[in-house]
Amino acid sequence: MATARLDYVAPWWTYWLHNFPHFNFLFQSVNNTFRPEEASYQQSLIFLSCIGAVGLGLSIIALAVYLVCLCCCRRSLDEETKRPDTCCVTWVAVITGLIVCSAVGVGFYGNSETNDGVYQLTYSLYNANHTLDGINSLVAGARSNVEAGLKQHIERLDEIFASRAEYLQALRFLQLMVNNIIRELTALPDINKTKIDLAAIADQTAFIEYYRWLTYLLLLILDLVICLVMCLGIAKQSQCLLITVFGFVIPSLILSWASLGTGTATAVGTSDFCVSPNKFIVNQTKDFLTADVAHYYLFCSPNLQNPFQQSLTICQRSLTTMQIQIQGLLQFSLPIFPTAQRDLLGIQRLLNSTEFNVHQLTALLDCRGIHKDYLDALMGVCYDGVEGLLYLSLFSLLAACSLSAILGVIFRLWTLMGSREKEYNDIDEEDPFNPQARRLSFDPRRSNTHSFCSYISSLGSQASLHPPPQSSSNSTIQPPEYMNQSMLFGGTPRYENVPLIGGGSPPPSYSPSMRTTYLSMTDSQIRHLRTDFQV
């Protein structure tokens, strides 16, 4: 059953990013072909990364304008002495917090996708490096077997068979086959000449990716902490928590804009590579790989012939021919030259080892293994990697805008808290309805003064034993005006048995018995009462 051959097709978002305008520092258009070694192309990516700096500058300008307008509005508010409304600020804070939480969710997904793509890239690089190291070791092993081992055995056999011309002719034929094998093995690619260590590239990529992933993770957690502390600060109306939020927002805002610029430049540069990766790789390997070899491994088409197939076939045929020759010499020369057995068996072992290496080399040089690693690396970078960078750029944009709004909310809440404290400070301490004034007016020296109500109650109890004569005029006395008002609003007159003397409250209402007792007091009792209440 034949397996379907996979072909690489660049995703649509790489073409969209590839079409982004590329400008150098002089605002001149630059070709968007992936050429990282050229200074103009490097300038175009740096120019794209400046988006973060532009966004940070616009945020600072917007916050400065908002702060100036807020100061002007606060002055007009102080002039009007109007209590500010915090409902709008609260809703803005809630909406901003929801946007930040949504952006954090997008950031977690993008960070995971980018990490998966880079992991797939490094895994493919390690596999490809393992394949290339295997090819290099097999070629080196086969050449050492042929050049060193076979030549030594043939030289000793040449001395042993010196008296037999037919055996010497067989040895000359073996030497010819050895030279053919050496020549064909030399034509195979020498990995040491490439000067490209894929394992080192994978290690460096994994190292950078780990710290990139960790930085984004800490930034995401910081944004969540900012939302939590901001909610606590608004709920508790705490200026200390607002100062803490302000201290967290400033570095997070700078990092968000910086990550936006870096992520955008990285995504655009990677997309430039993903649109035409084969062209870039052919240009990079032209110094040590021919074009047909590069195309064979990059495309791995059935129509393309293996460029090493001819060399491998010649090696295989030469080894088979040498095996036949050695079998013949073992059969016919040993009865005459028994000392040649050791060298002939040694040659046979080397031929078996070399033939095994050639079979493994044929399998490793097939394009399917390396091409699969190449496709996996492209899929990881151009699909998961670039997609994750897009989500991270979206997170950075949303987080930066939301954090700017959070700074505006902090400024507004700070002014509201300041105006509220000013309202508290503007309260008159001599106001009889001010609880603080009542607390300040309390004098401990008055704690021993008899209560007016208790004194009247005592007088009332004494009067109940000896009731004073009442005139007819007292029986027709109308209740005071405040008692009439209480009757109008409450239906029945309101009587307070414990009047609040010295508390700064409105005059209390008294019961008819208390009023009658007070009116029945003599002048001496009234003077005694006044003396007791003097300070």
Side-chain angles (χ1 to χ4, degrees), residues 146-372:
V146 174
E147 290 179 350
L150 289 179
K151 284 187 176 182
Q152 290 178 0
H153 289 296
I154 290 174
E155 289 176 357
R156 284 197 294 265
L157 288 175
D158 194 15
E159 296 177 358
I160 295 172
F161 297 152
S163 60
R164 300 295 296 266
E166 62 274 14
Y167 294 152
L168 291 177
Q169 186 179 1
L171 292 178
R172 299 291 179 271
F173 184 76
L174 289 177
Q175 185 65 43
L176 180 62
M177 294 296 102
V178 169
N179 294 333
N180 290 337
I181 293 174
I182 293 175
R183 184 179 65 253
E184 298 303 329
L185 289 177
T186 306
L188 295 177
D190 189 1
I191 307 302
N192 294 326
K193 295 180 180 179
T194 59
K195 297 180 181 180
I196 296 177
D197 190 359
L198 296 182
I201 296 174
D203 291 337
Q204 186 177 5
T205 304
F207 177 79
I208 296 173
E209 168 59 20
Y210 172 75
Y211 284 100
R212 184 211 62 80
W213 174 83
L214 184 60
T215 302
Y216 270 103
L217 182 62
L218 295 177
L219 182 59
L220 293 168
I221 295 175
L222 179 61
D223 289 344
L224 290 178
V225 171
I226 287 173
C227 290
L228 178 60
V229 178
M230 184 185 67
C231 292
L232 292 176
I234 294 175
K236 294 186 176 182
Q237 297 293 317
S238 173
Q239 292 183 346
C240 181
L241 291 178
L242 291 182
I243 293 175
T244 304
V245 173
F246 182 81
F248 285 160
V249 167
I250 294 300
S252 181
L253 180 63
I254 296 174
L255 290 176
S256 297
W257 284 117
S259 64
L260 176 62
T262 305
T264 302
T266 305
V268 171
T270 308
S271 298
D272 293 339
F273 167 77
C274 292
V275 168
S276 57
N278 298 330
K279 181 179 179 181
F280 172 76
I281 293 176
V282 169
N283 292 331
Q284 293 296 317
T285 58
K286 62 183 179 180
D287 294 335
F288 50 86
L289 286 180
T290 58
D292 57 340
V293 174
H295 283 85
Y296 173 71
Y297 288 105
L298 293 177
F299 297 100
C300 195
S301 174
N303 299 326
L304 294 177
Q305 185 180 3
N306 188 347
F308 308 112
Q309 187 61 45
Q310 184 177 0
S311 297
L312 293 173
T313 303
I314 293 174
C315 288
Q316 187 67 40
R317 291 177 179 176
S318 299
L319 290 172
T320 303
T321 304
M322 292 176 69
Q323 287 279 14
I324 297 173
Q325 292 292 329
I326 295 298
Q327 288 291 338
L329 290 175
L330 284 172
Q331 182 178 359
F332 298 104
S333 66
L334 286 183
I336 304 173
F337 302 100
T339 57
Q341 182 178 5
R342 179 183 175 183
D343 291 316
L344 291 175
L345 293 177
I347 292 175
Q348 192 175 36
R349 285 194 299 269
L350 289 176
L351 290 177
N352 291 334
S353 175
T354 305
E355 190 173 5
F356 179 75
N357 290 342
V358 170
H359 281 296
Q360 285 188 320
L361 192 59
T362 303
L364 291 178
L365 287 175
D366 188 79
C367 66
R368 287 173 292 182
I370 297 178
H371 184 70
K372 182 182 181 301

Side-chain angles (χ1 to χ4, degrees), residues 263-492:
T264 302
T266 305
V268 171
T270 308
S271 298
D272 293 339
F273 167 77
C274 292
V275 168
S276 57
N278 298 330
K279 181 179 179 181
F280 172 76
I281 293 176
V282 169
N283 292 331
Q284 293 296 317
T285 58
K286 62 183 179 180
D287 294 335
F288 50 86
L289 286 180
T290 58
D292 57 340
V293 174
H295 283 85
Y296 173 71
Y297 288 105
L298 293 177
F299 297 100
C300 195
S301 174
N303 299 326
L304 294 177
Q305 185 180 3
N306 188 347
F308 308 112
Q309 187 61 45
Q310 184 177 0
S311 297
L312 293 173
T313 303
I314 293 174
C315 288
Q316 187 67 40
R317 291 177 179 176
S318 299
L319 290 172
T320 303
T321 304
M322 292 176 69
Q323 287 279 14
I324 297 173
Q325 292 292 329
I326 295 298
Q327 288 291 338
L329 290 175
L330 284 172
Q331 182 178 359
F332 298 104
S333 66
L334 286 183
I336 304 173
F337 302 100
T339 57
Q341 182 178 5
R342 179 183 175 183
D343 291 316
L344 291 175
L345 293 177
I347 292 175
Q348 192 175 36
R349 285 194 299 269
L350 289 176
L351 290 177
N352 291 334
S353 175
T354 305
E355 190 173 5
F356 179 75
N357 290 342
V358 170
H359 281 296
Q360 285 188 320
L361 192 59
T362 303
L364 291 178
L365 287 175
D366 188 79
C367 66
R368 287 173 292 182
I370 297 178
H371 184 70
K372 182 182 181 301
D373 295 332
Y374 175 62
L375 287 182
D376 290 340
L378 287 180
M379 293 294 180
V381 172
C382 301
Y383 280 83
D384 294 339
V386 177
E387 183 183 5
L389 289 175
L390 286 177
Y391 281 111
L392 287 176
S393 299
L394 179 60
F395 151 73
S396 300
L397 180 61
L398 293 177
C401 296
S402 301
L403 292 173
S404 301
I406 287 176
L407 286 178
V409 170
I410 292 174
F411 294 153
R412 181 58 176 166
L413 287 175
W414 191 271
T415 57
L416 292 179
M417 291 180 182
S419 63
R420 186 172 301 171
E421 290 179 356
K422 186 175 181 180
E423 288 179 3
Y424 288 151
N425 295 331
D426 290 343
I427 296 177
D428 189 3
E429 295 182 355
E430 297 180 358
D431 188 359
F433 297 97
N434 183 9
Q436 185 178 1
R438 291 200 298 269
R439 290 193 298 269
L440 295 175
S441 64
F442 173 74
D443 192 349
R445 293 178 298 174
R446 300 183 182 181
S447 60
N448 296 326
T449 306
H450 298 288
S451 175
F452 176 76
C453 180
S454 61
Y455 188 83
I456 294 300
S457 299
S458 63
L459 292 178
S461 61
Q462 295 175 3
S464 62
L465 297 176
H466 304 283
Q470 297 183 2
S471 61
S472 60
S473 61
N474 292 335
S475 62
T476 60
I477 295 176
Q478 299 295 328
E481 182 65 24
Y482 58 81
M483 294 178 64
N484 293 333
Q485 293 177 358
S486 66
M487 293 175 64
L488 289 175
F489 290 100
T492 57

